[in-house]
């Protein structure tokens, strides 16, 4: 099930975790001290490029009754909306550029091109999600309230429609996020549940302005081309929604993005918070163009570690984080965009079913691991010095190999657990094969016995018929008439 003891799961001592936290703090300080003109130019150029794309798209859509003009304008508008949503709206609202003290690019002033108010998103997302990443009962983004993404959540009949709900969420992602944050805002603010409460009015104002802009004002400005412009706006919004949905799901729900129970929060240290962010997130591989289009959220691990550092620095931060993962023998969960999404997609469909229809147990399911995954598993291919094995069995902490200085931690343990579980599964399959062979042999023997009994009965019947055929006539008549 979900992780209840992150030290036991990560195979790290308290001193290890404290040292890991200090090294991550050092990475943060290094970036903060080196922020400067290069970073400021990056964000200003990004804003200028995004606005240029949108202006060009709007201009081309004046002739959108022409097929090629419509396609070109829609494509440019889709890219502009994606960049505004991912690299600008999301990252500026995280406070990544507040250090510039530029009122236009400050988290408290930026309003993104999306249905929900930025202020509601900041309070719900920056607090609930980034403080309690993947903590059951605390992180409202864990399934967004409509998807079951871990077996720690009890199955309900409504989950049967989860695959369909997932499609609706993907197509209307901006509305899903807006409604989700609106509800969270009402909970966090303690506002009375009245139709004219401040969260309700704030949401209504922003949503109505957004709908009017995309589906009334801009189409009307293009005059005779209003219908095609309306379709272009709807298509661009759909493309932006699908892309944002895919990026977010690839960073939060593939195998390796672990979940945690609220017990893990008791006395959680700064180092343990860092460790939870590393274990509860996943990256996907991307070149510079895809990284830019994803708002650099292909580096979701780094984003969860340092959500308020400039996104253009995540690539260099990722190199240092991977080095720390190697040093502490921790997994660094990443893969192609397609692979990461397919893993999340499989979990969505698999967990729509009751647990009784699932083959794996909750403790060794691929989508969720915990310290219980290692119960009773020894590590035969690691160094087998008696003191190391004794330490492992007593504390579930794999120490440093005294001969090489190599640390043996979670990554090695996961690899060994995978091998052990695979061997166990193969053994169980072999036992089943043997049982099937034994049953087939028993069935063959029983068939042979039945076949021989049938032959014996046939022989007996033939013998009796032959005996009756050779009896005298008077004996047959006596037998017939008594």
């Amino acid at each position: 099930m979900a992780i209840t003891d992150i030290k036991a799961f990560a195979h790290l001592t308290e001193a290890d975790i404290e040292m890991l936290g200090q090294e991550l703090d050092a990475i943060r300080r290094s970036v903060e001290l080196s922020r400067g003109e290069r970073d400021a130019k990056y964000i200003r150029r990004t804003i200028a490029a995004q606005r240029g794309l949108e202006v060009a798209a709007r201009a081309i859509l004046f002739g959108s009754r022409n097929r090629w003009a419509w396609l070109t304008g829609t494509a440019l508008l889709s890219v502009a909306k994606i960049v505004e949503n991912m690299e600008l709206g999301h990252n500026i609202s995280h406070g990544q550029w507040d250090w510039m003290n530029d009122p236009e690019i400050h988290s408290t002033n930026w309003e993104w091109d999306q249905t929900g108010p930025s202020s509601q998103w900041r309070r719900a997302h920056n607090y609930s999600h980034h403080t309690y990443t993947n903590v059951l009962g605390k992180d409202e983004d864990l399934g967004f309230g409509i998807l079951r993404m871990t077996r720690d959540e009890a199955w309900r009949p409504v989950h049967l429609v989860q695959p369909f709900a997932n499609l609706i969420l993907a197509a209307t992602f901006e509305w899903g996020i807006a409604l989700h944050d609106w509800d969270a805002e009402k909970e966090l603010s303690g506002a009375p549940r009245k139709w004219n409460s401040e969260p309700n009015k704030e949401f209504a104002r922003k949503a109505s302005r957004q709908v009017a802009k995309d589906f009334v004002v801009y189409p009307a400005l293009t005059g005779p081309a209003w219908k095609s412009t309306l379709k272009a706006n709807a298509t661009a919004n759909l493309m932006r929604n699908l892309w944002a949905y895919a990026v977010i799901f690839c960073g939060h729900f593939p195998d390796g993005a672990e979940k945690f129970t609220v017990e893990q929060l008791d006395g959680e240290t700064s180092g343990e918070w860092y460790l939870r962010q590393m274990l509860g997130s996943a990256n996907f591989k991307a070149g510079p163009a895809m990284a830019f289009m994803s708002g650099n959220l292909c580096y979701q691990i780094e984003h969860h570690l340092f959500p308020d550092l400039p996104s253009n620095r995540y690539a260099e931060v990722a190199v240092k984080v991977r080095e720390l993962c190697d040093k502490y023998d921790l997994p660094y969960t990443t893969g192609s965009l397609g692979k990461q999404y397919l893993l999340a997609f499989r979990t969505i469909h698999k967990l729509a079913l009751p647990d009784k229809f699932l083959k794996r147990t909750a403790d060794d399911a691929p989508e969720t691991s915990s310290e219980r995954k290692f119960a009773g598993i020894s590590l035969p291919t690691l160094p087998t010095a008696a003191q190391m094995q004794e330490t492992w069995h007593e504390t579930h902490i794999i120490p440093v190999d005294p001969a090489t200085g190599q640390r043996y931690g979670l990554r090695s343990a996961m690899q060994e657990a995978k091998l052990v579980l695979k061997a166990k599964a193969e053994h169980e399959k072999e036992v089943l094969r043997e049982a099937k062979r034994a049953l087939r042999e028993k069935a063959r023997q029983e068939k042979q016995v039945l076949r021989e009994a049938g032959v014996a009965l046939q022989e007996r019947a033939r013998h009796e018929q032959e005996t009756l055929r050779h009896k005298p006539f008077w004996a047959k008549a006596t037998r017939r008439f008594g």
Side-chain angles (χ1 to χ4, degrees):
M1 304 292 275
I3 296 167
T4 60
D5 186 342
I6 202 167
K7 294 188 290 293
F9 179 74
H11 298 74
L12 296 174
T13 64
E14 291 184 6
D16 289 332
I17 296 174
E18 182 66 22
M19 183 61 68
L20 173 64
Q22 292 175 8
E23 295 191 69
L24 288 167
D25 281 336
I27 293 174
R28 166 183 280 282
R29 287 193 298 272
S30 174
V31 175
E32 288 176 338
L33 292 172
S34 63
R35 290 179 304 199
E37 188 60 27
R38 175 171 67 98
D39 305 295
K41 285 182 178 178
Y42 170 82
I43 191 62
R44 290 191 175 113
R45 287 172 178 171
T46 299
I47 292 171
Q50 187 276 330
R51 289 174 177 171
L53 280 171
E54 183 164 3
V55 168
R58 297 296 182 191
I60 292 171
L61 287 174
F62 273 93
S64 59
R65 286 189 293 179
N66 175 277
R67 180 188 178 193
W68 289 107
W70 187 89
L71 289 173
T72 303
T74 302
L76 291 176
L77 186 59
S78 298
V79 173
K81 282 180 172 287
I82 287 171
V83 173
E84 196 287 327
N85 181 232
M86 306 301 293
E87 185 64 4
L88 297 180
H90 175 272
N91 293 336
I92 291 173
S93 296
H94 263 296
Q96 293 182 7
W97 308 97
D98 287 1
W99 58 273
M100 293 172 58
N101 294 317
D102 184 336
E104 182 188 13
I105 318 175
H106 198 277
S107 61
T108 57
N109 298 328
W110 189 274
E111 187 60 50
W112 61 1
D113 181 33
Q114 195 159 292
T115 305
S118 292
S119 57
Q120 292 188 357
W121 179 84
R122 285 196 303 271
R123 286 188 286 269
H125 181 81
N126 292 0
Y127 170 73
S128 175
H129 176 59
H130 278 273
T131 303
Y132 303 112
T133 305
N134 279 10
V135 176
L136 295 160
K138 300 291 286 185
D139 183 4
E140 298 295 333
D141 285 8
L142 187 53
F144 298 99
I146 62 172
L147 300 178
R148 181 183 183 234
M149 301 303 295
T150 172
R151 300 188 205 192
D152 293 277
E153 180 182 351
W155 181 87
R156 291 176 290 132
V158 70
H159 291 129
L160 289 172
V161 300
Q162 184 162 292
F164 178 72
N166 177 56
L167 295 177
I168 299 299
L169 176 64
T172 61
F173 198 56
E174 65 169 318
W175 281 97
I177 293 297
L179 294 172
H180 172 71
D181 295 336
W182 177 29
D183 190 62
E185 172 68 12
K186 289 186 285 186
E187 290 290 338
L188 290 172
S189 66
R193 291 189 174 275
K194 297 180 180 179
W195 69 270
N196 61 344
S197 67
E198 188 54 37
N200 287 356
K201 289 191 289 186
E202 184 182 21
F203 178 84
R205 284 193 297 265
K206 176 60 189 298
S208 59
R209 285 199 306 269
Q210 192 71 17
V211 171
K213 175 180 72 71
D214 279 342
F215 302 112
V216 179
V217 176
Y218 278 126
L221 288 175
T222 58
W226 71 272
K227 285 186 178 180
S228 54
T229 301
L230 183 66
K231 292 177 183 177
N233 287 350
T235 302
N237 282 349
L238 176 62
M239 293 299 101
R240 186 264 316 278
N241 290 343
L242 294 175
W243 177 246
Y245 155 86
V247 169
I248 296 304
F249 272 59
C250 286
H252 294 84
F253 302 125
D255 296 359
E258 308 298 353
K259 286 76 176 176
F260 308 85
T261 65
V262 292
E263 288 80 9
Q264 174 54 42
L265 298 176
D266 293 339
E268 185 177 59
T269 65
S270 173
E272 289 172 348
W273 182 88
Y274 272 133
L275 182 57
R276 179 161 56 78
Q277 304 307 313
M278 296 171 73
L279 298 179
S281 312
N283 287 2
F284 63 85
K285 298 174 184 177
M290 186 180 289
F292 177 74
M293 292 296 289
S294 71
N296 284 287
L297 293 182
C298 55
Y299 302 107
Q300 192 69 238
I301 296 171
E302 289 71 26
H303 175 62
H304 275 118
L305 289 170
F306 312 112
D308 56 349
L309 291 185
S311 59
N312 64 311
R313 306 295 290 275
Y314 283 158
E316 63 186 77
V317 170
V319 175
K320 298 177 182 178
V321 172
R322 292 197 78 146
E323 289 174 353
L324 286 180
C325 287
D326 290 338
K327 177 179 178 179
Y328 290 92
D329 199 25
L330 292 170
Y332 186 85
T333 305
T334 189
S336 68
L337 177 69
K339 175 189 173 184
Q340 299 296 72
Y341 179 70
L342 285 175
L343 290 173
F345 187 78
R346 180 214 60 204
T347 298
I348 291 168
H349 286 70
K350 182 172 69 174
L351 296 188
L353 300 173
D355 290 349
K356 64 182 180 181
F357 293 108
L358 305 178
K359 293 182 179 179
R360 303 286 284 275
T361 67
D363 291 332
D364 69 350
E367 74 278 359
T368 303
S369 297
S370 77
E371 65 274 13
R372 290 180 291 276
K373 184 183 185 75
F374 307 110
I377 296 178
S378 60
L379 307 177
T381 64
L382 297 181
T384 57
Q387 67 271 24
M388 293 185 71
Q389 289 290 355
E390 183 178 353
T391 301
W392 158 250
H393 286 299
E394 290 180 355
T395 67
H396 285 257
I397 304 297
I398 304 180
V400 175
D401 183 350
T404 65
Q406 175 64 49
R407 186 184 301 270
Y408 294 101
L410 177 60
R411 184 163 58 190
S412 296
M414 293 288 277
Q415 292 169 350
E416 290 300 327
K418 185 177 180 180
L419 292 174
V420 170
L421 291 171
K422 182 178 180 181
K424 181 181 178 181
E426 288 296 327
H427 175 71
E428 290 174 350
K429 287 180 181 178
E430 183 59 32
V431 169
L432 287 174
R433 282 194 290 267
E434 288 293 333
K436 287 180 180 178
R437 282 195 289 267
L439 287 172
R440 284 197 297 268
E441 179 62 22
K442 183 179 179 181
R444 188 190 63 79
Q445 292 176 355
E446 290 176 348
K447 285 180 180 180
Q448 181 63 26
V449 169
L450 288 173
R451 192 178 300 113
E452 291 175 355
V455 170
L457 287 172
Q458 290 175 356
E459 180 62 25
R460 180 179 176 183
R462 187 190 62 78
H463 178 70
E464 290 180 349
Q465 289 177 356
E466 189 67 24
T467 301
L468 287 173
R469 190 178 301 117
H470 291 87
K471 279 185 178 181
F473 174 79
W474 62 268
K476 293 180 182 178
T478 302
R479 184 177 178 185
R480 177 175 298 180
F481 299 110

